[in-house]
Amino acid sequence: MIAESGHYALVLALGLALIQSFVPLIGARLRDPALMNVARSTALAQLLFVGASFAALVMLHVSSDFSVANVYENSHSMKPLIYKITGVWGNHEGSMLLWVSILALFGGLVAIFGNNLPLSLRAHVLAVQAWIASAFYLFILMTSNPFLRIANPPIEGRDLNPVLQDIGLAVHPPMLYLGYVGFSISFSFAIAALIEGRIDAAWARWVRPWTLVAWIFLTLGIAMGSYWAYYELGWGGWWFWDPVENASLMPWLAGTALLHSALVMEKRNALKVWTILLSILTFSLSLLGTFLVRSGVITSVHAFANDPTRGVFILLILCLFIGGSLSLFAGRATSLKQGGLFAPISREGALVLNNLLLTVACAVVLFGTLYPLAMEVLADFKMSVGAPFYNLSFVPLFALLLLAVPFGPMLAWKRGDLLGVTQRLLAAGVAGLVAVAVAWGWARGGSALAPLAIGLGIFVIAGAVTDLAERTGLFRLPFATTLHRARGLPRSAWGAAFAHAGLGVALLGIVCETTWNSEYIATMKQNDVAHLAGYDLKLDGLFQRQGPNFREMIAEFNVSRDGETLSVMTPSKRSFTTRGSSTTEAALLTRGASQLYISLGDVTAEGAVAVRIYHKPLVLLIWWGPVLMAFGGMLSLSDRRLRVGAPKPARAKQSLQPAE
Amino acid sequence: MRRMFVALIALALLGMPEARAVQPDEIMADPAKEARARELSRELRCMVCQNQSIDDSDAPLARDLRLLVRERIAAGDSNSQVLDFLVARYGEFVLLKPRFERQTLLLWLLAPVLLGGGGLALWLQIRRRSRSGADIPMPPLTPDEKSRLAALMSDDATSR
């Protein structure tokens, strides 16, 4: 009954989405407010029905109803409750349902918080949202129905892939989807603007908060996923340039570019055409990511060819939306007038450079991901593109970008003074050079690149601090004045500084981890001691333990430094009987921003165990950086709400002016 | 050498037990050679895995390849000779860093061409436009917007 209700709710949501796809557009044509307002009600109703459908699937998973194929294939009655819930989106059908739920959520949010928008713009935006929603409802209902029943229900389920039974999975996909799908809003705004043929600074002002929300979630989602891979996959890697990761990185790069170009459009009425194009591209890349991950084309072209229904369906959606939106863009873009002149050296110029570097970096990732596929299909040439390629092509682009980051916010709009800014950044530059010298001396030679990269990271952080110091007049003016100015400084300025500093922090972590990571690989017996980076790790013994749906072997390590016991670390190996597979649960010991990392290998017949112990200096900075960036984004967002939302006057105005 | 073969045979006999990345018994006695082996391993793909290097992978095939790399290094091959040997056996697919050749030209040249071309085009366009003078005026407000603005302004006035 629950399954059928969930299925039916989804069908109803499709019906609502179809109404929302056309009625508001007709309303906009006829300038009929009632018809245009239909979008608002249908968007909210859609949210209700998709929410009900999603809740139904959660209930089925929680109650372990194995008569539903999706539950049977991905759940087990002994699985802990939290993983019964998170397992809902740990599979294809469920994750697509999550995708449309989040899409409906964003549609509902526009309907609720879009009071400030002109009626016809809101109608258009929600209609475009409904096009996307209809396509994906159809996809789910026709190829990936999560509510399918099994004729003869089995007694027990097949359990969720053990690697996915982790708290990281509870948070990572929803965050990532909030980011991916959030960019659909800026896409819809862009299409709406192209249809209406009217794009101005106000448009950018409405789009920016939505883009920012999506960007914050995507940033956190990517960071979460990276940390999850780091501790769950068992060899301490945190980024693999895997196509699935690239699929999330590309919208992030394009979205970051979009945030910056929308800024130029909002403040200076320039870069309009480019901003519209970026809005389209960012969401197109999100769709591409969905296609790459969901069609199985990445695992191998042949897997895709063997069961092409889903892949071809998403490919069709992809072509329809990307092709359609780009044709609309090509047709209408020339009619958009460009305003806001600026000299090459100016804040606008710096933001154009930011966009150029981010777009090229994004293109590199796109090519790296798709090139092997294209070569295999077109030229029958099997090749691989992996981390060493990106290290040579992507990393230099980002180094250039980071070098430019401190200059951007300090240049004036319209015409900037590069020499003046350089002088003001002198202190930050000196800090960077000192960091290079210190790192060089401390590492005693070795790779010259690492100290330079450390210097770059310090320069970016010091640059962000300098920007704030300049704006508040720190050290130049009396402290009280500085404090007063700091309070008066727009939150977006604080946000930008935090986000930029976050880049520097992440860079420091990445460089330290990759360059000065030390490892110890050996087979250890009881009471053996491993020495690594000043720590002594003594293997106290091996134990067996029974978990809810697995058995695990735990190794207990006594960690000490200079004879003083610090902690006990317990890495383990879990074997899951239902799937006959096992996972490695690494043990982590955090010391400041550095970590000790132990992961277990096989046990030999004599009772010795293969261990891999890593010392990862400052590794946590890799994830603190993105957290700082997201925090900056939130600061900036809170600023926008204060200035743009202006709820009271807006409502008062609407009551004064019923006919719009 | 002999020990590696024994290990290989033992591995085959045991029906490929699970192994994790670099195993203690694989490590070469000479640290310099081991470092070279690790460096090469990071550039080689485990062909049965999804985009993993043989240094990261726990698949039995990756172990075979790691042993093969070490075997070639022990036999005195240079790094490029080891790579050539593996490409001759397994094709370009085994390289995570594709070689610079006809088929990969576009891939390698993409970033410099886009960056150079895009940068030049943008610079010229911005300079041309900033010299051409007159700024295009903002579009005038629509009647809707005008009445809205008036409402906002009067609202502001009353609230203050």
Side-chain angles (χ1 to χ4, degrees):
Chain A
M1 203 36 215
I2 298 175
E4 284 68 33
S5 317
H7 191 188
Y8 191 53
L10 204 59
V11 176
L12 287 178
L14 170 65
L16 286 163
L18 287 174
I19 296 173
Q20 190 183 327
S21 299
F22 299 107
V23 174
L25 290 184
I26 299 168
R29 264 299 113 105
L30 302 175
R31 296 178 189 280
D32 182 339
L35 284 184
M36 285 196 264
N37 266 327
V38 165
R40 203 163 167 239
S41 333
T42 49
L44 291 172
Q46 251 194 77
L47 175 58
L48 190 73
F49 282 109
V50 179
S53 182
F54 189 76
L57 190 61
V58 173
M59 275 162 74
L60 291 171
H61 271 260
V62 168
S63 62
S64 293
D65 184 345
F66 297 123
S67 69
V68 175
N70 184 263
V71 181
Y72 160 68
E73 275 159 21
N74 299 294
S75 194
H76 190 278
S77 57
M78 304 289 280
K79 201 166 67 167
L81 179 65
I82 170 95
Y83 300 137
K84 281 185 182 169
I85 297 172
T86 63
V88 171
W89 53 83
N91 60 81
H92 170 80
E93 291 84 358
S95 77
M96 285 318 296
L97 191 59
L98 178 69
W99 206 98
V100 292
S101 306
I102 291 175
L103 190 68
L105 176 69
F106 273 103
L109 287 177
V110 172
I112 295 169
F113 294 107
N115 287 329
N116 206 26
L117 298 175
L119 196 55
S120 72
L121 179 64
R122 191 176 74 194
H124 277 116
V125 168
L126 287 174
V128 178
Q129 282 281 307
W131 300 348
I132 304 169
S134 309
F136 277 92
Y137 293 145
L138 272 175
F139 172 71
I140 295 180
L141 290 169
M142 290 172 70
T143 73
S144 326
N145 182 2
F147 298 107
L148 272 186
R149 292 272 192 189
I150 303 173
N152 300 308
I155 293 170
E156 193 49 91
R158 283 166 53 188
D159 209 353
L160 181 67
N161 183 350
V163 173
L164 302 180
Q165 296 193 26
D166 184 273
I167 196 69
L169 183 76
V171 200
H172 167 60
M175 289 271 220
L176 208 58
Y177 280 9
L178 280 166
Y180 264 19
V181 180
F183 284 126
S184 69
I185 301 286
S186 32
F187 173 83
S188 299
F189 267 92
I191 299 300
L194 285 173
I195 295 175
E196 290 200 317
R198 197 182 148 76
I199 301 162
D200 46 27
W203 181 91
R205 177 164 277 217
W206 287 314
V207 168
R208 236 162 64 82
W210 296 105
T211 314
L212 201 50
V213 169
W215 180 87
I216 291 170
F217 280 116
L218 193 57
T219 308
L220 289 175
I222 294 175
M224 277 285 321
S226 153
Y227 190 65
W228 174 68
Y230 167 75
Y231 73 74
E232 178 68 25
L233 297 185
W235 68 91
W238 43 270
W239 190 262
F240 310 100
W241 294 106
D242 187 87
V244 178
E245 288 168 326
N246 292 350
S248 65
L249 184 63
M250 288 186 280
W252 187 84
L253 292 167
T256 311
L258 174 61
L259 270 183
H260 289 86
S261 78
L263 190 71
V264 178
M265 184 165 162
E266 179 186 335
K267 296 269 161 61
R268 295 277 305 126
N269 202 31
L271 297 190
K272 283 195 236 175
V273 178
W274 174 241
T275 306
I276 295 282
L277 181 63
L278 263 183
S279 310
I280 293 174
L281 287 182
T282 305
F283 185 60
S284 300
L285 288 167
S286 297
L287 285 180
L288 179 74
T290 309
F291 165 71
L292 289 177
V293 177
R294 287 287 142 229
S295 67
V297 70
I298 277 177
T299 336
S300 95
V301 180
H302 306 293
F304 174 65
N306 286 339
D307 179 21
T309 34
R310 285 174 178 170
V312 169
F313 203 115
I314 306 190
L315 196 59
L316 266 169
I317 297 181
L318 196 71
C319 294
L320 199 69
F321 278 96
I322 300 181
S325 54
L326 287 181
S327 331
L328 185 66
F329 174 79
R332 291 289 178 90
T334 42
S335 66
L336 301 175
K337 291 220 172 64
Q338 285 284 27
L341 290 179
F342 54 88
I345 304 288
S346 60
R347 178 91 64 92
E348 294 95 321
L351 288 163
V352 168
L353 179 69
N354 149 304
N355 270 234
L356 176 69
L357 287 167
L358 281 170
T359 328
V360 175
C362 188
V364 165
V365 179
L366 181 70
F367 260 62
T369 310
L370 296 184
Y371 204 84
L373 283 177
M375 281 317 257
E376 189 176 348
V377 174
L378 301 178
D380 201 23
F381 175 68
K382 263 177 95 69
M383 60 175 286
S384 308
V385 175
F389 166 79
Y390 295 100
N391 289 344
L392 277 175
S393 53
F394 182 88
V395 171
L397 288 170
F398 242 72
L400 270 179
L401 181 65
L402 287 177
L403 202 59
V405 159
F407 289 89
M410 298 183 75
L411 281 166
W413 293 103
K414 290 187 94 164
R415 184 178 298 279
D417 171 13
L418 193 58
L419 193 66
V421 171
T422 314
Q423 280 168 350
R424 285 188 286 159
L425 277 172
L426 204 62
V430 169
L433 287 178
V434 169
V436 173
V438 170
W440 178 270
W442 180 77
R444 284 179 223 95
S447 158
L449 280 175
L452 284 177
I454 295 277
L456 182 59
I458 296 289
F459 175 59
V460 171
I461 298 170
V465 175
T466 311
D467 182 37
L468 286 178
E470 284 280 328
R471 281 164 195 258
T472 54
L474 188 69
F475 304 130
R476 272 192 297 119
L477 302 169
F479 191 66
T481 322
T482 299
L483 217 58
H484 182 72
R485 277 201 182 185
R487 233 177 284 132
L489 206 60
R491 292 233 189 121
S492 59
W494 286 98
F498 272 105
H500 288 171
L503 279 172
V505 170
L507 176 66
L508 290 182
I510 291 169
V511 175
C512 290
E513 198 278 331
T514 44
T515 318
W516 294 296
N517 168 30
S518 45
E519 61 179 20
Y520 174 91
I521 304 172
T523 308
M524 291 177 78
K525 291 194 290 291
Q526 194 165 6
N527 292 330
D528 277 357
V529 181
H531 305 282
L532 185 72
Y535 294 94
D536 303 309
L537 299 103
K538 178 162 151 283
L539 177 60
D540 281 343
L542 296 169
F543 310 93
Q544 297 282 340
R545 199 172 70 91
Q546 179 69 42
N549 52 346
F550 56 84
R551 278 190 68 73
E552 75 180 333
M553 184 199 64
I554 305 175
E556 204 175 275
F557 284 87
N558 191 308
V559 186
S560 59
R561 193 180 177 110
D562 306 326
E564 183 196 342
T565 301
L566 296 171
S567 176
V568 173
M569 291 174 76
T570 51
S572 69
K573 269 179 89 77
R574 291 181 180 169
S575 1
F576 291 74
T577 35
T578 316
R579 287 209 175 213
S581 54
S582 61
T583 61
T584 309
E585 302 290 316
L588 302 172
L589 176 64
T590 306
R591 304 267 297 159
S594 308
Q595 283 191 326
L596 275 173
Y597 185 114
I598 310 180
S599 125
L600 296 184
D602 291 335
V603 182
T604 63
E606 301 87 55
V609 63
V611 280
R612 303 159 64 74
I613 307 175
Y614 303 94
H615 177 252
K616 294 182 175 287
L618 299 187
V619 67
L620 286 178
L621 295 188
I622 297 175
W623 302 289
W624 289 354
V627 168
L628 214 56
M629 286 185 232
F631 176 69
M634 285 177 219
L635 275 182
S636 189
L637 194 65
S638 67
D639 179 35
R640 303 225 59 73
R641 196 183 331 144
L642 283 177
R643 282 194 289 147
V644 176
K648 273 173 196 162
R651 279 196 199 122
K653 174 230 75 183
Q654 282 202 333
S655 60
L656 281 175
Q657 187 202 14
E660 207 165 351
Chain B
M1 271 299 280
R2 167 162 288 180
R3 260 182 49 204
M4 275 177 205
F5 274 114
V6 172
L8 267 175
I9 291 162
L11 207 73
L13 286 180
L14 286 172
M16 305 290 178
E18 194 209 346
R20 277 225 79 80
V22 182
Q23 291 296 297
D25 60 341
E26 295 171 13
I27 293 170
M28 300 177 84
D30 180 353
K33 285 186 177 166
E34 174 63 20
R36 271 178 59 204
R38 294 299 298 275
E39 193 189 314
L40 282 170
S41 300
R42 280 186 206 112
E43 290 191 14
L44 291 167
R45 178 184 188 136
C46 158
M47 280 109 57
V48 295
C49 317
Q50 235 192 73
N51 207 48
Q52 274 183 351
S53 77
I54 60 171
D55 194 50
D56 292 337
S57 171
D58 49 7
L61 175 80
R63 182 187 162 89
D64 295 353
L65 283 178
R66 285 195 298 269
L67 290 174
L68 194 59
V69 166
R70 284 168 173 78
E71 198 180 293
R72 298 306 308 172
I73 290 178
D77 276 10
S78 73
N79 285 8
S80 62
Q81 279 172 321
V82 176
L83 292 181
D84 285 340
F85 177 79
L86 285 163
V87 170
R89 263 196 166 184
Y90 301 100
E92 301 278 331
F93 188 60
V94 79
L95 298 178
L96 279 173
K97 182 170 82 185
R99 297 176 179 212
F100 188 78
E101 56 194 13
R102 195 170 51 83
Q103 280 116 322
T104 60
L105 211 59
L106 193 58
L107 182 68
W108 279 111
L109 292 183
L110 177 80
V113 167
L114 266 187
L115 193 63
L120 193 70
L122 283 171
W123 177 272
L124 289 178
Q125 200 208 346
I126 292 172
R127 217 178 48 162
R128 185 172 50 85
R129 282 195 47 219
S130 70
R131 281 198 184 153
S132 71
D135 204 340
I136 292 157
M138 299 275 271
L141 295 180
T142 60
D144 267 2
E145 284 169 336
K146 274 184 191 153
S147 58
R148 207 170 151 188
L149 181 68
L152 274 174
M153 297 294 278
S154 64
D155 220 63
D156 251 15
T158 48
S159 65
R160 272 186 197 159

